[in-house]
Amino acid sequence: MKQYTLAIFVIALVWACNNPGVSNSDGDLGQSVFKKNCKLCHGADGKQMLNGAKDLNLSTMTLEERINIITNGKKVMVPFKDVLTAEQIKAVAQYTKDTFKSGK
Ligand code: HEC
């Protein structure tokens, strides 16, 4: 009986560790969203400026402003509110803020 309880405990522990919801995957989510939806215009390093896109490394926008432009778009940049969830938008906004920093 004791062994049985232990086995259940071990299985539960392994499951908890493998469950992606448990680990903090926010950075990964932002990166994968960026690669799929933003790289086209902004480039993997944020420097590409296709169709008049801004160099994200020079952006001084706050997280809220980024969420806003990603959600609603601006000029050539398409709105993503029908494409991405609020969670994805927030993750990718955070990703651009953390990853592309001004060299200055
Ligand atoms: C169709 C091309 C295109 C795609 C796709 C695109 N953008 Fe943009 N992005 C632009 C353009 C053009 C601007 C400049 C808008 C302006 O101010 O005129 C811009 C501006 C921005 C800015 C503001 C930079 C600043 O400081 O002015 C951010 C942040 C941004 N994009 C993030 C993203 C993210 C994140 C994604 C993916 C979810 C994305 N963009 C997808 C074209 C694009």
Side-chain angles (χ1 to χ4, degrees), residues 22-37:
V22 173
S23 70
N24 179 11
S25 58
D26 235 35
D28 296 346
L29 177 64
Q31 187 180 43
S32 68
V33 170
F34 188 85
K35 278 189 184 150
K36 271 192 215 127
N37 301 279

Side-chain angles (χ1 to χ4, degrees), residues 26-32 34-35 44 63 66 89-100:
D26 235 35
D28 296 346
L29 177 64
Q31 187 180 43
S32 68
F34 188 85
K35 278 189 184 150
L63 185 65
R66 282 164 206 255
I89 290 176
K90 189 161 179 255
V92 77
Q94 188 69 55
Y95 173 78
T96 61
K97 200 167 188 294
D98 293 344
T99 310
F100 311 122

Side-chain angles (χ1 to χ4, degrees), residues 37-38 41-42 51-54 56 59 70 74-75 77 80:
N37 301 279
C38 325
C41 295
H42 289 290
N51 299 320
K54 299 266 168 76
L56 295 181
S59 178
I70 297 163
K74 189 176 174 189
K75 291 183 198 165
M77 182 161 157
F80 282 91

